[in-house]
Amino acid sequence: MQGAESRAFLFDEASRNEIARFLASAALSAGPMVMEVYERGCEVFSKEDGSPVTVADRRCEAVICSLLSRTLPTLPIVAEESVSEGRRPAVGGRFLLVDPLDGTKEFIAGNGEFTINVALIQDGAPAAGAVYAPALSRLWFGGETAFVCDAPIGGGLPAITEWRLIRVRKPPAALVAVASRSHADAATEAFLKRLPIGERRSRGSSLKFCLVAEGEADVYPRFGPTMEWDTAAGDAVLRAAGGVVLDPSGVPLAYGKQEGDFRNGPFIAWGDAGTALRFSAR
């Protein structure tokens, strides 16, 4: 983490890609702890809203927020477990969003499709973000451009020669849709029936955004409830790869909704902006 801390001192002068690399290092720092809990198993608790939480969620958040607080002391940090315990910092034009374990249900089920998400929000939009899937040893990050690389546990950020630039694709005649493993709903099904879908794939957590960003899928609709920390990092990676994340009226998904406890409305993540405009207009 030494390199990440050095970059952080020049945060105001850093490019969005440099910030994304710093956020990627922050996400990677929590990987060993998360995997230690994942491999030995742990007790599952319920939060006030009924959603599951584990010791891995809480410890991972503590590791990442400690690093971010030391290196970026002036930036507010909005983190899932802290907010669930009533700690909601006031945010301005720039703040950080942390989801220490996106896909807790996947973590509990043991299928490996959970991620560690860290993002920077600038003026209501995700400016940079990192999505780390420690059980898959896979890391996605992006600012101006987006990258993916293999990232084994405990290895730190791989050398730049190991990164692969990713871009969304021009969609085929029959689209590939990606949907949640755990959150199917009638509104999503109704939306997908309007599209020329040739294949559907299921993924957990922010891996759905990453699939679209890599050009392996074309659309990811989500009409059920999500929070800003669930989506910001994946949204940042997708936007850096050339995609868009819009609400059903075609407006980009916005961040910093303090009055709603940082709750998102429905959204659709698209790989191709032209396709998004064509179907949003219907």
PDB file of all heavy atoms in Angstrom, residues 117-119 126 129-131 206 209-210 213 229-240 245 255:
ATOM      1  N   ASN A 117     -16.096  -3.053  -3.131  1.00  0.00           N
ATOM      2  CA  ASN A 117     -16.314  -1.905  -4.009  1.00  0.00           C
ATOM      3  C   ASN A 117     -15.879  -0.606  -3.342  1.00  0.00           C
ATOM      4  O   ASN A 117     -16.285  -0.331  -2.210  1.00  0.00           O
ATOM      5  CB  ASN A 117     -17.798  -1.771  -4.359  1.00  0.00           C
ATOM      6  CG  ASN A 117     -18.342  -2.967  -5.132  1.00  0.00           C
ATOM      7  OD1 ASN A 117     -17.592  -3.811  -5.602  1.00  0.00           O
ATOM      8  ND2 ASN A 117     -19.650  -3.017  -5.265  1.00  0.00           N
ATOM      9  N   VAL A 118     -15.111   0.201  -4.064  1.00  0.00           N
ATOM     10  CA  VAL A 118     -14.691   1.517  -3.581  1.00  0.00           C
ATOM     11  C   VAL A 118     -14.811   2.494  -4.746  1.00  0.00           C
ATOM     12  O   VAL A 118     -14.356   2.201  -5.858  1.00  0.00           O
ATOM     13  CB  VAL A 118     -13.245   1.515  -3.055  1.00  0.00           C
ATOM     14  CG1 VAL A 118     -12.926   2.831  -2.360  1.00  0.00           C
ATOM     15  CG2 VAL A 118     -12.998   0.345  -2.110  1.00  0.00           C
ATOM     16  N   ALA A 119     -15.430   3.665  -4.502  1.00  0.00           N
ATOM     17  CA  ALA A 119     -15.625   4.623  -5.590  1.00  0.00           C
ATOM     18  C   ALA A 119     -15.480   6.052  -5.096  1.00  0.00           C
ATOM     19  O   ALA A 119     -15.752   6.357  -3.928  1.00  0.00           O
ATOM     20  CB  ALA A 119     -17.010   4.433  -6.219  1.00  0.00           C
ATOM     21  N   PRO A 126     -20.046   9.035 -10.591  1.00  0.00           N
ATOM     22  CA  PRO A 126     -18.864   8.258 -10.222  1.00  0.00           C
ATOM     23  C   PRO A 126     -17.685   8.620 -11.119  1.00  0.00           C
ATOM     24  O   PRO A 126     -17.729   8.392 -12.325  1.00  0.00           O
ATOM     25  CB  PRO A 126     -19.309   6.804 -10.424  1.00  0.00           C
ATOM     26  CG  PRO A 126     -20.403   6.882 -11.435  1.00  0.00           C
ATOM     27  CD  PRO A 126     -21.073   8.209 -11.258  1.00  0.00           C
ATOM     28  N   GLY A 129     -13.489   4.234  -9.827  1.00  0.00           N
ATOM     29  CA  GLY A 129     -13.936   3.155  -8.954  1.00  0.00           C
ATOM     30  C   GLY A 129     -13.156   1.881  -9.181  1.00  0.00           C
ATOM     31  O   GLY A 129     -12.463   1.719 -10.199  1.00  0.00           O
ATOM     32  N   ALA A 130     -13.271   0.978  -8.205  1.00  0.00           N
ATOM     33  CA  ALA A 130     -12.622  -0.327  -8.281  1.00  0.00           C
ATOM     34  C   ALA A 130     -13.564  -1.389  -7.741  1.00  0.00           C
ATOM     35  O   ALA A 130     -14.241  -1.177  -6.729  1.00  0.00           O
ATOM     36  CB  ALA A 130     -11.318  -0.329  -7.486  1.00  0.00           C
ATOM     37  N   VAL A 131     -13.612  -2.510  -8.434  1.00  0.00           N
ATOM     38  CA  VAL A 131     -14.420  -3.665  -8.052  1.00  0.00           C
ATOM     39  C   VAL A 131     -13.470  -4.852  -7.957  1.00  0.00           C
ATOM     40  O   VAL A 131     -12.866  -5.252  -8.955  1.00  0.00           O
ATOM     41  CB  VAL A 131     -15.516  -3.952  -9.098  1.00  0.00           C
ATOM     42  CG1 VAL A 131     -16.282  -5.220  -8.743  1.00  0.00           C
ATOM     43  CG2 VAL A 131     -16.472  -2.765  -9.223  1.00  0.00           C
ATOM     44  N   SER A 206     -21.576  -6.680  -8.054  1.00  0.00           N
ATOM     45  CA  SER A 206     -21.214  -5.737  -9.112  1.00  0.00           C
ATOM     46  C   SER A 206     -20.588  -6.412 -10.323  1.00  0.00           C
ATOM     47  O   SER A 206     -20.227  -5.725 -11.288  1.00  0.00           O
ATOM     48  CB  SER A 206     -20.246  -4.685  -8.557  1.00  0.00           C
ATOM     49  OG  SER A 206     -20.898  -3.859  -7.628  1.00  0.00           O
ATOM     50  N   PHE A 209     -22.168  -5.284 -13.697  1.00  0.00           N
ATOM     51  CA  PHE A 209     -21.609  -4.111 -14.366  1.00  0.00           C
ATOM     52  C   PHE A 209     -20.345  -4.478 -15.138  1.00  0.00           C
ATOM     53  O   PHE A 209     -20.128  -4.022 -16.266  1.00  0.00           O
ATOM     54  CB  PHE A 209     -21.253  -3.030 -13.341  1.00  0.00           C
ATOM     55  CG  PHE A 209     -22.414  -2.303 -12.746  1.00  0.00           C
ATOM     56  CD1 PHE A 209     -22.836  -2.600 -11.456  1.00  0.00           C
ATOM     57  CD2 PHE A 209     -23.074  -1.307 -13.438  1.00  0.00           C
ATOM     58  CE1 PHE A 209     -23.890  -1.919 -10.876  1.00  0.00           C
ATOM     59  CE2 PHE A 209     -24.129  -0.619 -12.871  1.00  0.00           C
ATOM     60  CZ  PHE A 209     -24.544  -0.927 -11.585  1.00  0.00           C
ATOM     61  N   CYS A 210     -19.505  -5.284 -14.518  1.00  0.00           N
ATOM     62  CA  CYS A 210     -18.213  -5.628 -15.120  1.00  0.00           C
ATOM     63  C   CYS A 210     -18.390  -6.466 -16.376  1.00  0.00           C
ATOM     64  O   CYS A 210     -17.617  -6.342 -17.334  1.00  0.00           O
ATOM     65  CB  CYS A 210     -17.338  -6.350 -14.100  1.00  0.00           C
ATOM     66  SG  CYS A 210     -16.953  -5.337 -12.642  1.00  0.00           S
ATOM     67  N   ALA A 213     -19.163  -4.039 -19.012  1.00  0.00           N
ATOM     68  CA  ALA A 213     -17.968  -3.242 -19.304  1.00  0.00           C
ATOM     69  C   ALA A 213     -16.961  -4.003 -20.156  1.00  0.00           C
ATOM     70  O   ALA A 213     -16.275  -3.413 -21.000  1.00  0.00           O
ATOM     71  CB  ALA A 213     -17.308  -2.800 -17.999  1.00  0.00           C
ATOM     72  N   TRP A 229     -23.768   2.751  -2.564  1.00  0.00           N
ATOM     73  CA  TRP A 229     -22.516   2.001  -2.426  1.00  0.00           C
ATOM     74  C   TRP A 229     -22.569   0.675  -3.174  1.00  0.00           C
ATOM     75  O   TRP A 229     -21.535   0.111  -3.514  1.00  0.00           O
ATOM     76  CB  TRP A 229     -22.177   1.778  -0.954  1.00  0.00           C
ATOM     77  CG  TRP A 229     -23.332   1.272  -0.134  1.00  0.00           C
ATOM     78  CD1 TRP A 229     -23.833   0.002  -0.084  1.00  0.00           C
ATOM     79  CD2 TRP A 229     -24.147   2.054   0.759  1.00  0.00           C
ATOM     80  NE1 TRP A 229     -24.900  -0.060   0.771  1.00  0.00           N
ATOM     81  CE2 TRP A 229     -25.115   1.176   1.308  1.00  0.00           C
ATOM     82  CE3 TRP A 229     -24.130   3.389   1.150  1.00  0.00           C
ATOM     83  CZ2 TRP A 229     -26.074   1.602   2.235  1.00  0.00           C
ATOM     84  CZ3 TRP A 229     -25.085   3.815   2.061  1.00  0.00           C
ATOM     85  CH2 TRP A 229     -26.041   2.937   2.589  1.00  0.00           C
ATOM     86  N   ASP A 230     -23.781   0.164  -3.450  1.00  0.00           N
ATOM     87  CA  ASP A 230     -23.908  -1.065  -4.241  1.00  0.00           C
ATOM     88  C   ASP A 230     -23.465  -0.855  -5.681  1.00  0.00           C
ATOM     89  O   ASP A 230     -22.952  -1.780  -6.318  1.00  0.00           O
ATOM     90  CB  ASP A 230     -25.371  -1.542  -4.279  1.00  0.00           C
ATOM     91  CG  ASP A 230     -25.910  -1.984  -2.940  1.00  0.00           C
ATOM     92  OD1 ASP A 230     -25.183  -2.678  -2.201  1.00  0.00           O
ATOM     93  OD2 ASP A 230     -27.066  -1.640  -2.621  1.00  0.00           O
ATOM     94  N   THR A 231     -23.715   0.326  -6.220  1.00  0.00           N
ATOM     95  CA  THR A 231     -23.580   0.545  -7.664  1.00  0.00           C
ATOM     96  C   THR A 231     -22.416   1.429  -8.087  1.00  0.00           C
ATOM     97  O   THR A 231     -21.975   1.338  -9.237  1.00  0.00           O
ATOM     98  CB  THR A 231     -24.872   1.184  -8.211  1.00  0.00           C
ATOM     99  OG1 THR A 231     -25.094   2.458  -7.567  1.00  0.00           O
ATOM    100  CG2 THR A 231     -26.077   0.287  -7.966  1.00  0.00           C
ATOM    101  N   ALA A 232     -21.914   2.288  -7.212  1.00  0.00           N
ATOM    102  CA  ALA A 232     -20.993   3.347  -7.645  1.00  0.00           C
ATOM    103  C   ALA A 232     -19.725   2.827  -8.309  1.00  0.00           C
ATOM    104  O   ALA A 232     -19.307   3.334  -9.360  1.00  0.00           O
ATOM    105  CB  ALA A 232     -20.629   4.238  -6.461  1.00  0.00           C
ATOM    106  N   ALA A 233     -19.086   1.820  -7.722  1.00  0.00           N
ATOM    107  CA  ALA A 233     -17.822   1.341  -8.281  1.00  0.00           C
ATOM    108  C   ALA A 233     -18.036   0.666  -9.634  1.00  0.00           C
ATOM    109  O   ALA A 233     -17.301   0.924 -10.594  1.00  0.00           O
ATOM    110  CB  ALA A 233     -17.143   0.386  -7.301  1.00  0.00           C
ATOM    111  N   GLY A 234     -19.052  -0.195  -9.720  1.00  0.00           N
ATOM    112  CA  GLY A 234     -19.352  -0.843 -10.993  1.00  0.00           C
ATOM    113  C   GLY A 234     -19.782   0.160 -12.044  1.00  0.00           C
ATOM    114  O   GLY A 234     -19.420   0.045 -13.225  1.00  0.00           O
ATOM    115  N   ASP A 235     -20.556   1.147 -11.635  1.00  0.00           N
ATOM    116  CA  ASP A 235     -20.975   2.229 -12.520  1.00  0.00           C
ATOM    117  C   ASP A 235     -19.755   2.977 -13.055  1.00  0.00           C
ATOM    118  O   ASP A 235     -19.651   3.268 -14.257  1.00  0.00           O
ATOM    119  CB  ASP A 235     -21.898   3.153 -11.729  1.00  0.00           C
ATOM    120  CG  ASP A 235     -22.590   4.225 -12.563  1.00  0.00           C
ATOM    121  OD1 ASP A 235     -22.179   4.453 -13.708  1.00  0.00           O
ATOM    122  OD2 ASP A 235     -23.542   4.847 -12.042  1.00  0.00           O
ATOM    123  N   ALA A 236     -18.793   3.275 -12.178  1.00  0.00           N
ATOM    124  CA  ALA A 236     -17.576   3.976 -12.598  1.00  0.00           C
ATOM    125  C   ALA A 236     -16.802   3.165 -13.632  1.00  0.00           C
ATOM    126  O   ALA A 236     -16.320   3.714 -14.638  1.00  0.00           O
ATOM    127  CB  ALA A 236     -16.697   4.267 -11.385  1.00  0.00           C
ATOM    128  N   VAL A 237     -16.654   1.879 -13.394  1.00  0.00           N
ATOM    129  CA  VAL A 237     -15.936   1.016 -14.338  1.00  0.00           C
ATOM    130  C   VAL A 237     -16.659   0.983 -15.685  1.00  0.00           C
ATOM    131  O   VAL A 237     -16.035   1.110 -16.748  1.00  0.00           O
ATOM    132  CB  VAL A 237     -15.778  -0.401 -13.762  1.00  0.00           C
ATOM    133  CG1 VAL A 237     -15.239  -1.370 -14.826  1.00  0.00           C
ATOM    134  CG2 VAL A 237     -14.848  -0.390 -12.550  1.00  0.00           C
ATOM    135  N   LEU A 238     -17.988   0.830 -15.641  1.00  0.00           N
ATOM    136  CA  LEU A 238     -18.751   0.759 -16.888  1.00  0.00           C
ATOM    137  C   LEU A 238     -18.673   2.066 -17.662  1.00  0.00           C
ATOM    138  O   LEU A 238     -18.469   2.077 -18.877  1.00  0.00           O
ATOM    139  CB  LEU A 238     -20.209   0.401 -16.584  1.00  0.00           C
ATOM    140  CG  LEU A 238     -21.146   0.339 -17.790  1.00  0.00           C
ATOM    141  CD1 LEU A 238     -20.624  -0.619 -18.856  1.00  0.00           C
ATOM    142  CD2 LEU A 238     -22.557  -0.056 -17.353  1.00  0.00           C
ATOM    143  N   ARG A 239     -18.839   3.200 -16.975  1.00  0.00           N
ATOM    144  CA  ARG A 239     -18.743   4.487 -17.674  1.00  0.00           C
ATOM    145  C   ARG A 239     -17.353   4.684 -18.266  1.00  0.00           C
ATOM    146  O   ARG A 239     -17.212   5.205 -19.380  1.00  0.00           O
ATOM    147  CB  ARG A 239     -19.085   5.632 -16.728  1.00  0.00           C
ATOM    148  CG  ARG A 239     -20.530   5.611 -16.252  1.00  0.00           C
ATOM    149  CD  ARG A 239     -20.919   6.902 -15.557  1.00  0.00           C
ATOM    150  NE  ARG A 239     -22.112   6.748 -14.721  1.00  0.00           N
ATOM    151  CZ  ARG A 239     -22.875   7.750 -14.294  1.00  0.00           C
ATOM    152  NH1 ARG A 239     -22.582   8.988 -14.629  1.00  0.00           N
ATOM    153  NH2 ARG A 239     -23.930   7.525 -13.536  1.00  0.00           N
ATOM    154  N   ALA A 240     -16.311   4.258 -17.541  1.00  0.00           N
ATOM    155  CA  ALA A 240     -14.945   4.377 -18.060  1.00  0.00           C
ATOM    156  C   ALA A 240     -14.716   3.491 -19.277  1.00  0.00           C
ATOM    157  O   ALA A 240     -13.859   3.786 -20.115  1.00  0.00           O
ATOM    158  CB  ALA A 240     -13.938   4.038 -16.964  1.00  0.00           C
ATOM    159  N   VAL A 245     -25.213   4.388 -17.422  1.00  0.00           N
ATOM    160  CA  VAL A 245     -26.165   3.878 -16.437  1.00  0.00           C
ATOM    161  C   VAL A 245     -27.249   4.942 -16.293  1.00  0.00           C
ATOM    162  O   VAL A 245     -26.976   6.057 -15.841  1.00  0.00           O
ATOM    163  CB  VAL A 245     -25.496   3.579 -15.087  1.00  0.00           C
ATOM    164  CG1 VAL A 245     -26.516   3.016 -14.100  1.00  0.00           C
ATOM    165  CG2 VAL A 245     -24.350   2.580 -15.274  1.00  0.00           C
ATOM    166  N   TYR A 255     -25.683  10.439  -7.763  1.00  0.00           N
ATOM    167  CA  TYR A 255     -25.189  10.039  -6.448  1.00  0.00           C
ATOM    168  C   TYR A 255     -25.146  11.240  -5.505  1.00  0.00           C
ATOM    169  O   TYR A 255     -25.029  12.380  -5.937  1.00  0.00           O
ATOM    170  CB  TYR A 255     -23.803   9.416  -6.585  1.00  0.00           C
ATOM    171  CG  TYR A 255     -23.826   8.104  -7.327  1.00  0.00           C
ATOM    172  CD1 TYR A 255     -23.870   8.074  -8.724  1.00  0.00           C
ATOM    173  CD2 TYR A 255     -23.870   6.898  -6.645  1.00  0.00           C
ATOM    174  CE1 TYR A 255     -23.924   6.875  -9.410  1.00  0.00           C
ATOM    175  CE2 TYR A 255     -23.922   5.695  -7.333  1.00  0.00           C
ATOM    176  CZ  TYR A 255     -23.957   5.681  -8.709  1.00  0.00           C
ATOM    177  OH  TYR A 255     -24.029   4.499  -9.374  1.00  0.00           O
TER     178      TYR A 255
END
